[in-house]
Amino acid sequence: MVNFVGAGPGAKDLVTVRAQRLLSTAGVIIYTGSLINPELLEYAKPGCQFYNSARMTLEEVIDVIKDAHNNGTEIVRLHTGDPSIYGAIKEQMDKLDELGIPYASCPGVSSFCGAAASLNLEYTLPGISQSVIITRMEGRTPVPTTESIESFAAHNATMVLFLSTGMAGSLSQKLISGGYSPDTPAAIVYKATWADEEKYICTIGTLEETAQKHNISKTALIIIGNIIVPGGYNRSELYNPCFSTEYRESSQEIS
């Protein structure tokens, strides 16, 4: 059995109870060594075999899984954050389907959630933004033409960008070209929730300057939107005394 496990954003204690249990019972753990906090491997049992997939191809990963499965060994494929976001898990699952090897997924806390927690942000503020766009700049991995930064920027919604800090200058230009104002608030969060986390508030216009000043080119998220420095957002109707819900009748006018 293979369990695809979300390692969370970085901090050792930001994994689920299920993830901790799976790590503690696995005989083989294949982890994304370039991104996973190595402290998470301390949950493993004595004698567990570790494989750093940063040095492996897909075929090599599958070979390790196949050998372990044939030996009756429980396997954890440990991915950063939540495996469903830029985790490259579908191609692994397809190979396992071909081999008849069973698997399951254990969700994790994504780094975009960790970054919001580090900045004490709410991504969806009434009257400011009710949508979150999670995307990335095009690099060696192409992005569909219908999902360009410019087309997403036209919505002026909250945007979270993975894998893009090394292209901050080009990103800034595309965001402005698409419709954001240069003075729209932005944030760079390096290694959210790790012990060496760094976080900087800037604007779209100063993204590149900020990234260069702090020598950040990878392992960071960029957040765009007025939710970073909100002003004049609307109170939630959920807790408004004038607003009736399934559980509570309207009781008074809001002062």
Side-chain angles (χ1 to χ4, degrees):
M1 178 72 174
V2 181
N3 283 287
F4 291 90
V5 174
K12 181 183 177 182
D13 58 351
L14 280 178
V15 293
T16 64
V17 173
R18 182 183 300 179
Q20 187 174 343
R21 175 177 58 80
L22 292 170
L23 287 167
S24 68
T25 57
V28 166
I29 297 176
I30 307 169
Y31 65 101
T32 50
S34 59
L35 298 169
I36 295 294
N37 185 344
E39 292 180 1
L40 292 170
L41 303 181
E42 296 172 6
Y43 289 127
K45 66 182 181 181
C48 180
Q49 294 180 286
F50 302 114
Y51 294 86
N52 182 354
S53 65
R55 302 186 179 96
M56 302 167 72
T57 64
L58 170 62
E59 289 72 18
E60 289 170 336
V61 168
I62 297 301
D63 283 344
V64 169
I65 291 175
K66 184 165 56 176
D67 290 344
H69 175 73
N70 290 339
N71 290 327
T73 304
E74 291 292 310
I75 306 140
V76 161
R77 181 67 174 101
L78 189 61
H79 281 271
T80 184
D82 182 274
S84 68
I85 301 178
Y86 302 117
I89 58 172
K90 184 64 170 72
E91 60 193 35
Q92 298 174 71
M93 292 175 174
D94 287 346
K95 291 290 186 181
L96 297 180
D97 286 336
E98 293 174 11
L99 295 168
I101 297 175
Y103 56 86
S105 293
C106 174
V109 178
S110 173
S111 57
F112 87 89
C113 298
S118 295
L119 293 169
N120 291 319
L121 292 183
E122 182 178 351
Y123 282 133
T124 52
L125 279 175
I128 302 294
S129 177
Q130 287 291 284
S131 302
V132 183
I133 298 169
I134 298 173
T135 190
R136 61 185 293 277
M137 282 279 283
E138 182 172 78
R140 290 195 296 175
T141 300
V143 171
T145 55
T146 54
E147 298 179 18
S148 69
I149 297 297
E150 292 92 336
S151 65
F152 286 146
H155 298 286
N156 265 237
T158 304
M159 191 180 296
V160 181
L161 294 116
F162 285 69
L163 308 167
S164 302
T165 315
M167 298 174 279
S170 177
L171 171 62
S172 179
Q173 293 173 12
K174 290 177 181 295
L175 290 169
I176 294 169
S177 175
Y180 284 109
S181 167
D183 60 1
T184 301
I188 299 174
V189 184
Y190 170 78
K191 298 182 75 170
T193 79
W194 290 61
D196 54 346
E197 170 190 277
E198 297 178 31
K199 50 193 175 183
Y200 304 101
I201 305 297
C202 57
T203 65
I204 289 177
T206 59
L207 263 176
E208 183 176 29
E209 173 189 343
T210 304
Q212 290 179 347
K213 177 181 178 180
H214 299 285
N215 197 30
I216 299 174
S217 61
K218 60 181 181 179
T219 325
L221 287 179
I222 292 175
I223 302 169
I224 304 295
N226 289 317
I227 53 93
I228 297 171
V229 187
Y233 66 90
N234 299 329
R235 175 173 170 169
S236 168
E237 296 289 7
L238 181 61
Y239 302 107
N240 187 335
C242 299
F243 192 75
S244 296
T245 72
E246 180 183 355
Y247 304 99
R248 188 191 71 244
E249 290 296 325
S250 172
S251 60
Q252 64 183 72
E253 291 187 3
I254 189 169
S255 58

